[in-house]
Amino acid sequence: MRIEYATEEQVRDVALHMRATDFAEFSAVSHARTREDLADLLAARYGGQPFTLCASVDDRPVAIGAVLEARPNVASLMFFATDEFPTIAGPLTRFIRRKVLEPMKQSGVHRIETVSMLLHRGAHRWLTALGLEKEAGPFRGYGRNGEPFVQYAWVADDFRAARN
């Protein structure tokens, strides 16, 4: 597995071949109606950005992930992959926890969040493996056609204690 900053071409390639559940999730929160349109939108937004990574196997891009600043000290995660994702899921999960999320936490980020379509159970298992917890939802009517979504988040312990 190789991990590098994602080019527009890599983002487009993974988006064109993303898992059916990823396509359903991303198209539910997009104006794109086809894989091609969605691939163009994602490539333009995430390709070539310093916050977007690509994981490849034998020079085939398999997964795209990004971490964006949503608000001061709050990060938002984005991720999609091809059907080859299970072949790299373990090492990629460890890499993201150790080399992406942990340094963010050490830098003062106190919240890492994302939303996911309610029926995308595989994504929910993976978010839990990354250390996020289901926080809210289902949010009914969240997607373009009324698809329900749920929110996952990691929140620093000192902020959790302050809430209780």
Side-chain angles (χ1 to χ4, degrees), residues 43-103:
R45 179 163 187 196
Y46 296 107
Q49 298 298 323
F51 50 77
T52 307
L53 297 175
C54 175
S56 299
V57 175
D58 298 328
D59 293 326
R60 287 185 321 278
V62 172
I64 301 292
V67 181
L68 298 96
E69 181 182 51
R71 299 174 295 285
N73 295 316
V74 176
S76 179
L77 298 179
M78 181 282 302
F79 183 85
F80 57 92
T82 70
D83 288 331
E84 282 190 80
F85 176 62
T87 66
I88 62 169
L92 182 57
T93 301
R94 287 187 295 277
F95 175 87
I96 292 171
R97 279 196 317 244
R98 292 178 188 152
K99 301 292 186 179
V100 177
L101 301 182
E102 194 54 41

Side-chain angles (χ1 to χ4, degrees), residues 25 116-121 124 134 137-139 147-150:
E25 183 174 273
S116 179
M117 198 162 60
L118 180 63
L119 298 178
H120 197 340
R121 306 257 190 257
H124 305 166
K134 182 179 175 194
F139 302 128
E147 299 91 344
F149 276 65
V150 291

Side-chain angles (χ1 to χ4, degrees), residues 15-16 18 22-45 143-145 147:
L16 285 171
M18 69 171 61
D22 288 349
F23 177 72
E25 183 174 273
F26 276 81
S27 62
V29 292
S30 167
H31 291 290
R33 300 273 182 194
T34 67
R35 282 184 179 267
E36 292 77 14
D37 289 344
L38 183 60
D40 289 343
L41 287 171
L42 293 171
R45 179 163 187 196
R144 173 177 63 210
N145 296 311
E147 299 91 344

